[in-house]
């Protein structure tokens, strides 16, 4: 019943992300302006209410690294200028492509209520919370996004905006597409003509800030979709794990017994269809993902290439990575040595810190270990495990920020691979976010991780699911107590009644009957020892 209520609410809830429908029109593309009206007052960017205003987009002119040697060939260059050169600039705590939303960590009609959310260990969720999580994910997968569309052609294929090429997808698949689009190869023109050494969200400094914003927007969309403003993405602490602990039908889906590459039919995720997961096919044809369904989710954890990934990351791997003092080094790509970012991403060895490792570790190791949809960079977000995994990666990033308290200058201003300089706008987000804006603590963005809380709060958090289960059981326990009391009273009355009836019976007073109950023991049951020779060693040892 509550799912029907949520579906009904969708028609009254606005949300804010990329590409907004109101900006996916021929007129918007030809004018290159994305400044939609805020529904609260009908003015572009909520200008009449002081929420924001429409202004020219300013892009940095700092040089990029040599990894991508082209200019003017990819729609993601100098984002978002190929599509829009005017967007909403929001004031104060307002955010969104029309300034109708609040910045991360702020709530309320005027965005002046500060709250801190806590992302929790998925195994510390109660049964009801686990059911809610799976239900929310499935609702997002089954609900066509009312506010967003995704691009299915290049700007050139759109004839410079006069022929818009966009597609409808679900709320969940908006984020699948975003992860594909930021990491796809550059199309240089014609079948098979692509540049593979480019990624606007991976293999370089923006990897951690980009995924931080990605998770924040995803969390935000689930809240808007469900009306549950307390929702947070849980994390899976995979340190020292020997198997996929979240691969159960109660959580992310168990293995299919008939086909180990698929999910168990007992999981709701077994019916999910992937999209944007066939990178090689798109490259061969020289096209973008068309956002059409491409078959079921695939996963076969543990049956991966052992030469590439030997095992899941250990606690020692994480600690070594956290102790690296430099955020990024050298060319700031997969070759970076002693780089926290590169080692956490998985291309630096988590035992030596040397880049271009022949074996993948940390973040990348888990993707390969899953051996299916997760093992493709472009299609990995199809698997809901992606969210649990990246929440934990983000928590390691948060630990590093707190341990080393880096100055803003540690984040590179120039010469990082394209898309990764500090002032670069993250692809493909609207509203716009710069990389440097998320080189800050999660506390400044309104969220915390449960295992980073102080000891008392950690204990309370880990006990929460058990307390909730007891709370749900207390009516039954109370009823059992009442019934037990009634039975005890009934037995007492029966004994008293029997005693009255037998009180005058002569057989109760006979010597023979008394002897039956006479105890042969003549010593006291409790010893009295004034000398103190009897020790209580066993009791003390137990204590």
């Amino acid at each position: 019943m509550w799912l029907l209520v949520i579906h009904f609410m969708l028609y009254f809830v606005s949300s804010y992300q990329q590409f907004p429908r109101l900006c996916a029109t021929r007129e918007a593309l030809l004018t290159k302006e994305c400044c939609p009206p805020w529904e609260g007052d009908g003015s572009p960017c909520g200008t009449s209410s002081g929420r924001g205003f429409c202004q020219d987009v300013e892009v940095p002119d700092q040089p990029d690294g040599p990894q991508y040697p082209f200019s003017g060939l990819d729609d993601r260059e100098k984002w978002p200028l190929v599509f829009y050169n005017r967007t909403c600039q929001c004031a104060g705590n307002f955010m969104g492509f029309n300034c109708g939303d609040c910045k991360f960590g702020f709530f309320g009609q005027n965005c002046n209520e500060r709250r801190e959310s806590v992302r929790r260990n998925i195994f510390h969720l109660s049964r009801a919370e686990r059911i809610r999580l799976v239900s929310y994910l499935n609702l997002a997968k089954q609900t066509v996004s009312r506010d967003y569309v995704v691009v299915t052609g290049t700007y050139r294929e759109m004839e410079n905006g006069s022929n818009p090429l966009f597609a409808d997808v679900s709320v969940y698949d908006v984020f699948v597409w975003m992860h594909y689009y930021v990491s796809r190869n550059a199309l240089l023109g014609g079948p098979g003509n692509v540049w593979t050494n480019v990624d606007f969200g991976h293999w370089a400094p923006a990897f951690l800030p980009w995924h931080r914003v990605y998770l924040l927007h995803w969390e935000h969309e689930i809240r808007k979709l469900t009306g549950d403003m307390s929702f947070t993405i849980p994390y899976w602490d995979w340190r020292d794990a020997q198997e996929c602990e979240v691969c159960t039908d109660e959580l992310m889906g168990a293995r299919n017994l008939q086909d180990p590459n698929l999910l168990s039919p007992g999981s709701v995720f077994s019916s999910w269809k992937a999209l944007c997961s066939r990178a090689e096919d798109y490259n061969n044809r020289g096209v973008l993902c068309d956002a059409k369904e491409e078959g079921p989710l695939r996963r076969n954890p543990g049956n991966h290439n052992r030469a590439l990934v030997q095992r899941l990351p250990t606690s020692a791997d994480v600690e070594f990575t956290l102790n690296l003092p430099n955020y990024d080094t050298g060319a700031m790509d997969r070759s970076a040595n002693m780089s926290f970012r590169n080692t956490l991403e998985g291309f630096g060895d988590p035992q030596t810190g040397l880049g271009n490792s022949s074996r993948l570790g940390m973040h990348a190791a888990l993707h390969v270990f899953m051996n299916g949809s997760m093992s493709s960079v472009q299609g990995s977000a199809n698997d809901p495990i992606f969210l649990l995994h990246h929440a934990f990666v983000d928590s390691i990033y948060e630990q590093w920020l707190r341990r080393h308290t880096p100055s803003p200058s540690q984040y590179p201003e120039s010469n990082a691979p394209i898309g990764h300089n500090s002032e670069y706008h993250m692809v493909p987000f609207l509203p716009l976010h710069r990389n440097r804006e998320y080189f800050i603590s999660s506390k400044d963005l309104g969220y915390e991780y449960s295992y980073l809380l102080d000891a008392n709060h950690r204990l309370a958090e880990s006990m929460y699911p058990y307390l909730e289960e007891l709370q749900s059981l207390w009516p039954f326990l109370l009823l059992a107590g009442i019934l037990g009391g009634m039975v005890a009273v009934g037995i007492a009355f029966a004994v008293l009644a029997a005693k009255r009836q037998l009180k005058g019976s002569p057989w109760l007073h006979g010597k023979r009957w008394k002897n039956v109950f006479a105890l042969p023991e003549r010593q006291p049951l409790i010893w009295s020892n004034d000398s103190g020779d009897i020790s209580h060693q066993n009791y003390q040892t137990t204590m």
Side-chain angles (χ1 to χ4, degrees):
M1 179 63 185
W2 63 274
L3 288 177
L4 294 176
V5 173
I6 290 173
H7 276 294
F8 181 75
M9 289 167 55
L10 295 179
Y11 293 95
F12 301 95
V13 177
S14 293
S15 42
Y16 313 93
Q17 193 56 30
Q18 147 81 34
F19 269 82
R21 285 185 186 276
L22 295 176
C23 297
T25 64
R26 185 173 184 271
E27 179 184 5
L29 291 171
L30 290 176
T31 61
K32 291 200 169 189
E33 182 172 291
C34 182
C35 294
W38 175 51
E39 61 274 15
D41 62 14
S43 66
C45 310
T47 302
S48 298
S49 301
R51 299 180 78 95
F53 49 92
C54 189
Q55 75 166 27
D56 293 343
V57 175
E58 296 181 4
V59 298
D61 57 3
Q62 295 294 330
D64 299 314
Q67 294 85 354
Y68 178 77
F70 308 102
S71 178
L73 288 177
D74 194 291
D75 291 346
R76 299 167 294 180
E77 295 175 29
K78 298 185 182 298
W79 182 261
L81 291 189
V82 168
F83 293 100
Y84 312 108
N85 56 27
R86 285 176 63 80
T87 64
C88 288
Q89 174 67 42
C90 304
N93 296 329
F94 300 114
M95 190 182 74
F97 65 74
N98 63 356
C99 299
D101 207 1
C102 300
K103 285 184 177 179
F104 302 124
F106 290 91
F107 297 82
Q109 187 174 359
N110 297 315
C111 300
N112 54 5
E113 299 175 21
R114 180 75 172 172
R115 301 181 208 164
E116 185 175 275
S117 305
V118 177
R119 291 180 181 170
R120 300 164 55 206
N121 188 321
I122 191 167
F123 294 109
H124 292 170
L125 302 183
S126 67
R127 184 172 181 274
E129 288 171 325
R130 296 182 189 188
I131 292 172
R132 191 179 307 133
L133 169 66
V134 173
S135 298
Y136 284 0
L137 290 171
N138 196 46
L139 178 63
K141 182 70 172 181
Q142 307 305 328
T143 304
V144 174
S145 176
R146 185 171 65 92
D147 295 297
Y148 325 137
V149 290
V150 299
V151 67
T152 58
T154 64
Y155 196 70
R156 182 181 302 169
E157 290 171 336
M158 293 187 198
E159 300 172 13
N160 297 328
S162 60
N163 180 32
L165 295 173
F166 296 95
D168 289 327
V169 294
S170 72
V171 173
Y172 186 98
D173 286 337
V174 167
F175 289 89
V176 173
W177 173 85
M178 288 177 68
H179 197 263
Y180 151 77
Y181 192 78
V182 75
S183 59
R184 68 174 175 81
N185 301 137
L187 305 179
L188 303 182
N193 189 18
V194 300
W195 186 260
T196 59
N197 190 25
V198 62
D199 193 310
F200 286 74
H202 301 79
W203 310 343
F207 166 68
L208 293 166
W210 190 93
H211 284 82
R212 172 161 283 193
V213 174
Y214 180 88
L215 291 181
L216 283 166
H217 271 294
W218 198 95
E219 200 169 59
H220 170 77
E221 288 307 313
I222 289 293
R223 291 172 179 173
K224 302 291 282 188
L225 175 66
T226 64
D228 183 355
M229 293 299 153
S230 66
F231 172 79
T232 56
I233 298 171
Y235 63 86
W236 171 30
D237 183 348
W238 33 248
R239 289 174 295 185
D240 306 310
Q242 300 301 309
E243 59 186 11
C244 179
E245 300 164 333
V246 296
C247 293
T248 65
D249 283 345
E250 184 189 24
L251 294 174
M252 300 297 106
R255 193 191 306 269
N256 189 313
L257 297 179
Q258 278 69 47
D259 186 343
N261 293 305
L262 300 178
L263 303 188
S264 160
S267 168
V268 67
F269 301 118
S270 65
S271 65
W272 281 25
K273 304 299 181 185
L275 73 156
C276 298
S277 62
R278 297 174 178 172
E280 186 175 352
D281 175 53
Y282 311 142
N283 289 345
N284 291 337
R285 294 190 288 132
V287 298
L288 294 181
C289 159
D290 60 9
K292 292 181 180 178
E293 293 182 348
E294 298 174 343
L297 287 181
R298 306 187 73 82
R299 190 195 302 155
N300 193 345
N303 293 318
H304 59 285
N305 182 352
R306 297 281 173 170
L308 192 60
V309 170
Q310 191 173 22
R311 52 169 172 71
L312 287 174
T314 66
S315 297
D317 294 338
V318 173
E319 191 59 28
F320 176 89
T321 304
L322 282 169
N323 283 330
L324 293 171
N326 295 316
Y327 181 72
D328 224 334
T329 61
M332 296 173 282
D333 56 17
R334 286 170 287 186
S335 68
N337 295 323
M338 308 308 288
S339 157
F340 165 73
R341 186 276 316 163
N342 197 40
T343 306
L344 176 54
E345 192 169 358
F347 303 105
D349 190 308
Q351 296 178 342
T352 66
L354 298 180
N356 279 334
S357 175
S358 60
R359 284 182 171 169
L360 298 179
M362 297 296 284
H363 152 264
L366 192 128
H367 278 279
V368 174
F369 176 86
M370 286 301 162
N371 193 32
S373 301
M374 274 277 281
S375 60
S376 159
V377 176
Q378 296 178 24
S380 57
N382 278 290
D383 193 327
I385 287 178
F386 178 97
L387 297 167
L388 311 182
H389 169 44
H390 271 276
F392 190 63
V393 171
D394 184 71
S395 77
I396 298 173
Y397 173 39
E398 181 60 24
Q399 282 192 76
W400 185 87
L401 288 170
R402 296 186 191 183
R403 183 176 297 189
H404 298 279
T405 57
S407 68
S409 62
Q410 265 226 44
Y411 195 95
E413 185 177 347
S414 62
N415 296 313
I418 188 170
H420 294 262
N421 286 341
S422 63
E423 299 300 308
Y424 208 97
H425 292 124
M426 294 180 178
V427 178
F429 288 102
L430 285 173
L432 301 176
H433 303 285
R434 296 185 188 272
N435 292 321
R436 64 171 169 80
E437 296 170 350
Y438 296 87
F439 192 60
I440 58 175
S441 172
S442 68
K443 284 183 161 296
D444 297 324
L445 299 168
Y447 71 100
E448 171 67 289
Y449 286 96
S450 60
Y451 80 103
L452 301 182
L453 296 168
D454 62 61
N456 290 333
H457 285 91
R458 285 201 308 272
L459 178 61
E461 192 278 330
S462 63
M463 291 297 295
Y464 176 79
Y466 305 107
L467 296 175
E468 186 174 274
E469 293 293 341
L470 286 175
Q471 187 178 13
S472 65
L473 289 174
W474 78 263
F476 303 100
L477 296 175
L478 178 61
L479 179 61
I482 293 173
L483 291 175
M486 293 173 64
V487 170
V489 170
I491 292 173
F493 275 114
V495 170
L496 289 174
K499 187 176 180 180
R500 291 194 189 99
Q501 291 179 3
L502 297 173
K503 189 174 183 181
S505 299
W507 63 273
L508 285 175
H509 303 286
K511 286 184 179 180
R512 187 166 54 86
W513 190 256
K514 288 182 180 180
N515 289 336
V516 172
F517 288 93
L519 292 172
E521 178 63 66
R522 292 289 183 251
Q523 299 297 325
L525 294 178
I526 300 179
W527 284 84
S528 175
N529 186 355
D530 295 334
S531 64
D533 292 336
I534 302 297
S535 78
H536 299 286
Q537 183 177 357
N538 289 340
Y539 182 75
Q540 292 169 344
T541 302
T542 303
M543 286 294 289

